[in-house]
Amino acid sequence: MTTFDAHPRSSLIVALDFDSLASAVKFAKQVADLVGMFKIGSQLFTSAGPEAVREISRLGTGVFLDLKYHDIPNTVAGAVLAAAAMPGLQLVNVHALGGASMMRAAAQAVSAGVPMGEDRPRLLAVTVLTSMDQKAIREVGIGGPPKTRAVQLAKLAQQAGVDGVVASVQEAKAIRKACGREFLIVTPGVRPKEAAGASRDDQARTATPREAIKAGADFMVVGRPITAAADPRAAAQAIVDEIAAAKS
Ligand code: C5P
């Protein structure tokens, strides 16, 4: 199984939400030595395909393939199997709302897709999107506060053999308590306080890097506060410094 080193940098995952592989690679090269992993999501993967994973993994950082699979178990298992065979892949995810049997099928596939003797990626489940507030989740028919739903979905994911979850910082503490120390928690919606304009963009539930670590996050995903910064290296370094201070 993939193991992650303890350097503060390794907790930082930078979201490469670019529309072309050329611009993603150009950007990634600028900050690769400062970050633990790059995240390839649906925007870049739809335009560039598996080549994006190959190119980015050549930079020596791990890759988080964030395609949030949500389909019938057989289809999701096939997608996870194909993903697990990609070079440098450390994290891949599904939507917990796909249900327990879908997550079980994904958990089996993530091990089966890896060549003998090699590390397998970790499988994560998305609980509730950090762009959704209570009103937004109610509109799609999900009752109760986002935190209650996120903890319930995290427990379901763990029972199904999933290695961890993507969840907001606000939910991380309760998930850590419910699912234990070994369960991975990845938090997006992270916004450093001093970030230019401190824009929340479309994130409804945000928190600082320090708050993420204090809440028990193993990794945080940061996109626009770094990719749209005037000085991306300085923005990434400031976050790594904040992670280091919060861990000490
Ligand atoms: O630019 P920003 O820091 O908001 O980027 C956050 C990244 O994390 C985006 O790529 C988004 O797709 C992803 N993400 C999220 N909320 C989740 C799961 C993933 O924002 N629950």
Side-chain angles (χ1 to χ4, degrees), residues 13-17 39-42 64 66 68 93 95 126-131 166-168 186-191 200-203 205-206 221-227:
I13 303 177
V14 174
L16 294 176
D17 293 321
K39 184 173 84 63
I40 295 174
S42 43
F64 170 14
D66 177 28
K68 303 183 182 72
N93 61 359
H95 260 290
V126 174
T127 54
V128 180
L129 290 173
T130 43
S131 57
V166 182
S168 84
V186 179
T187 58
V190 170
R191 293 290 178 270
R200 283 170 38 155
D201 302 304
D202 55 351
Q203 297 286 12
R205 290 171 292 137
T206 63
V221 174
V222 185
R224 289 160 292 182
I226 295 176
T227 56

Side-chain angles (χ1 to χ4, degrees), residues 47-64:
S47 67
E51 187 57 22
V53 179
R54 280 192 286 273
E55 284 277 318
I56 297 298
S57 71
R58 273 197 205 114
L59 301 177
T61 56
V63 173
F64 170 14

Side-chain angles (χ1 to χ4, degrees), residues 63-130:
V63 173
F64 170 14
L65 187 63
D66 177 28
L67 297 179
K68 303 183 182 72
Y69 301 123
H70 188 170
D71 208 319
I72 59 170
N74 188 55
T75 301
V76 168
V80 170
L81 195 66
M86 290 179 184
L89 202 87
Q90 294 196 337
L91 298 172
V92 59
N93 61 359
V94 298
H95 260 290
L97 287 169
S101 38
M102 189 207 79
M103 289 193 279
R104 257 193 310 275
Q108 281 164 11
V110 81
S111 300
V114 178
M116 280 277 279
E118 282 184 29
D119 287 344
R120 73 162 176 85
R122 306 275 188 107
L123 179 70
L124 304 174
V126 174
T127 54
V128 180
L129 290 173
T130 43

